[in-house]
DNA sequence: GAAAATCCGT
């Protein structure tokens, strides 16, 4: 009897066996079961197994693996339970099945614990250990990984390529890069194993150490395979070096390696980041031709490309062709719709998802934040807090806190802060900074200060936020003191720090102090002043009634005067009631920003303050016909959970009549009391 | 003589 190599041979062979009435040997049947399983013919594989008059442990293992391959873990488990004599392969197969299935990881662990204690007394071998390492890497369970590692050392199972590469991967994915490196160094003391090298290159990329990754990649580069290339392409793409990723992608083909799903997925993400629609489209057509456009990584990559390029029609078209729900593609589209302000479409997609991960929630809520629909953002966040799952995206909190900050509403900010503490999220530096910033900008400088002072480590950005917070609240002394402390601790201030410091000075009229810091900035810290610093200085002089100094200062600014600087200067003129200088600056400003309605309003305001109604009328006339899309300034009141916003002459509130009746009442009382006082003084 | 494990893509 000959060995069946292809499926066709196998089927022919099987038919002959049945016709001839022979009973194949157990060995031959096992081979056939494996062949059927490899070709996805699970029913045929099982029938053959079922009809075997006698079976050995190979038969059981093969058919169990057939079910695992077909994703049918319950049948695999039933067969596992029925195996008369299990060996390590029986255990390893099912452990691997559970380890790779989301939500069933605990069963893998239980089987691992049971295998050596069970009546079967099956020994854990290298297969068991590498599978378990894979699982702990997936769960980022460093302490389990370490225990497995020491077990491997004890049983001398730590030296093969399988062991070394799994260990590198485990340490890297558990956030312990130095240990990964140690394992790699020790493992490659004799001969370098390619898979281990690839795992180490990937670990370097994960860590952002791209130079190290490249050195490794090019050392012994004769042995590189397509995985090595894909690793580098992905590494560049994930670390913001899209051009290099594309270069490697091209180079890979030149070197004779063919592109696969991994290569396409990575280069697609590079093109998306660059919004390179044309090149992206080429990849699109290429993958369609190759027939791999149904791969979920590829198809969602294409959806992401079109979404990032603002082509939502194409994105929808590609998404509709996908047969299964894909939260990654939906996230891309939500972000895409949010970017064009179409939150209704974004919400439709969000609601269409049966299974929402934290990234989708973050995208949707952040979309509301970005389109300034903060009521919707907070409402959705309330629903987010009520769900059972406990996974988070730090970006969600940063964006929501940002919404509180721009609206200066502290209560929702406090709720977010409380929620962060309640669920015990590992406090990310960026999140803490956002919390401090929120309290600063919402007027709760005391809270901000307390959090700031209790932090063990404080970086530059946090200091900048706190100094700016003090400055905005008129605590110039605290701002300057914190600056000095920061410098004493060895933190180098940056351009942002000086904006905050100069702001502190201008708010309290500390002209000389401000001048000193301004020159110290360049002389002591080699930071070139930017637009904001110049504007700060002009404002500083303006507020201190030193318009002449402002004018002299402005003449020395070595960059082109832009709207911010001129606007600030006009404000300074306004404060010093100097219409002549304002006029000159106005001409310059209108040349730069003739279309910006806000500037006209600012100018008109400057003249109105002077009582120059004719001038104001002139400006208003110039304004007419231009598109004036100034954001309307509004006032708001928080009553209970609702915030009520008002603009001037606003009668849209549902209780506007009652509000105005009350207002009339108050005005009358005010007028009456003024009359009383006048009568008294006479 | 046969069965199980490692690295790369949202």
């Amino acid at each position: 009897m000959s060995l069946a190599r292809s499926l066709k041979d196998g089927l022919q062979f099987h038919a002959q066996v049945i016709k001839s009435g022979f009973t194949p040997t157990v060995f031959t049947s096992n081979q056939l079961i494996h062949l059927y399983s490899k070709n996805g013919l699970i029913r045929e594989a099982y029938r053959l197994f079922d009809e075997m008059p006698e079976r050995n442990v190979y038969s059981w293992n093969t058919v169990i693996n057939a079910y695992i391959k077909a994703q049918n873990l319950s049948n695999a488990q039933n067969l596992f339970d029925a195996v008369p004599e299990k060996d390590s392969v029986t255990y390893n197969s099912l452990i691997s099945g559970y380890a790779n299935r989301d939500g069933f990881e605990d069963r893998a662990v239980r089987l691992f614990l049971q295998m050596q204690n069970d009546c079967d007394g099956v020994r854990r071998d290298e297969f068991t250990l590498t599978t378990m390492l894979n699982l702990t890497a997936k769960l980022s369970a460093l302490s389990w990984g370490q225990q497995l590692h020491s077990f491997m050392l004890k049983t001398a199972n730590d030296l093969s390529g399988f062991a070394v590469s799994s260990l590198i991967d485990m340490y890297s994915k558990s956030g312990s890069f130095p240990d990964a490196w140690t394992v790699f160094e020790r493992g490659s003391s004799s001969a370098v194993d390619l898979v281990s090298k690839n795992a180490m290159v990937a670990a370097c990329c994960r860590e952002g150490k791209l130079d190290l990754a490249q050195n490794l990649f090019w050392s012994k580069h004769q042995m590189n395979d397509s995985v090595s290339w894909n690793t580098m392409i992905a590494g560049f793409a994930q670390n913001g070096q899209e051009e290099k990723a594309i270069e490697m992608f091209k180079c890979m083909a030149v070197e004779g390696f063919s592109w696969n799903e991994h290569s396409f997925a990575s280069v697609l993400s590079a093109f998306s980041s660059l919004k390179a629609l044309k090149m992206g489209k080429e990849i699109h057509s290429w993958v369609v031709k190759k027939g791999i456009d149904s791969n979920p990584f590829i198809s969602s990559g294409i959806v992401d490309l079109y979404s990032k390029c603002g082509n939502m029609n194409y994105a929808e078209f590609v998404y509709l062709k996908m047969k299964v729900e894909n939260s990654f593609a939906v996230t891309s589209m939500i972000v895409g719709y949010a970017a064009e302000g179409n939150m209704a479409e974004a919400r439709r997609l969000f609601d269409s998802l049966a299974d929402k991960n934290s990234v989708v929630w973050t995208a949707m809520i952040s979309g509301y934040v970005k389109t300034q629909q903060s009521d919707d953002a907070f409402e959705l966040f309330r629903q987010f807090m009520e769900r059972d799952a406990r996974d988070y995206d730090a970006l969600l909190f940063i964006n929501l806190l940002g919404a509180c900050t721009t609206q200066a509403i502290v209560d929702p900010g406090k709720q977010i802060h409380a929620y962060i503490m309640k669920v015990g999220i590992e406090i990310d530096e960026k999140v803490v900074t956002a919390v401090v910033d929120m309290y600063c900008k919402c007027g709760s400088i005391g809270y901000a200060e307390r959090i700031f002072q209790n932090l063990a480590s404080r970086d530059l950005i946090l200091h900048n936020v706190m100094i700016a917070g003090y400055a905005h609240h008129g605590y110039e002394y605290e701002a300057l003191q914190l600056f000095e402390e920061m410098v004493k601790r060895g933190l180098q201030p940056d351009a942002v720090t000086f904006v905050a410091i100069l702001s502190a000075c201008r708010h309290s009229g500390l002209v000389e102090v401000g001048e000193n810091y301004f020159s110290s900035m360049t002389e002591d810290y080699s930071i070139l002043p930017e637009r904001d610093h110049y504007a700060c200085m002009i404002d500083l002089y303006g507020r201190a009634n030193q318009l002449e100094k402002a004018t002299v200062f402005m003449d020395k600014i070595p960059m082109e005067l832009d709207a911010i600087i001129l606007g600030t200067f006009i404000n300074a003129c306004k404060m010093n009631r100097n219409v002549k200088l304002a006029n000159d600056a106005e001409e310059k400003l209108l040349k730069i920003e003739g279309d910006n309605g806000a500037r006209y309003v600012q100018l008109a305001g400057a003249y109105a303050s002077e009582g120059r109604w004719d001038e104001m009328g002139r400006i208003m006339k110039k304004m007419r016909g231009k598109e004036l899309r100034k954001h309307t300034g509004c006032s708001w009141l928080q009553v209970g959970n609702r915030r009520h916003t008002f603009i001037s002459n606003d009668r849209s509130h549902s209780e506007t009549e009652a509000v105005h009746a009350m207002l009339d009442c108050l005005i009358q009382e005010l007028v009456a009391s003024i009359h009383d006082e006048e009568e008294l003084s006479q």
Side-chain angles (χ1 to χ4, degrees), chain A residues 492-500 502 517-537 553 556-559 565:
Chain A
Q492 278 282 328
D494 67 358
V496 179
T497 322
F498 279 98
V499 173
L502 295 176
Y517 277 113
F518 184 81
S519 46
S520 155
M521 176 169 111
T522 323
E523 285 160 20
D524 303 335
Y525 300 103
S526 318
I527 301 166
L528 282 180
E530 292 160 25
R531 188 188 62 196
D532 287 346
H533 304 103
Y534 293 127
C536 266
M537 289 307 288
F553 182 86
K556 283 197 220 148
I557 293 179
M559 60 184 276
I565 294 179

Side-chain angles (χ1 to χ4, degrees), chain A residues 124-141:
Chain A
R124 293 169 185 140
D125 60 14
E126 216 188 313
F127 285 80
T128 325
L129 294 164
T130 49
T131 305
M132 286 306 290
L133 277 177
N134 201 8
L135 177 64
T136 57
K138 179 181 170 189
L139 300 175
S140 292

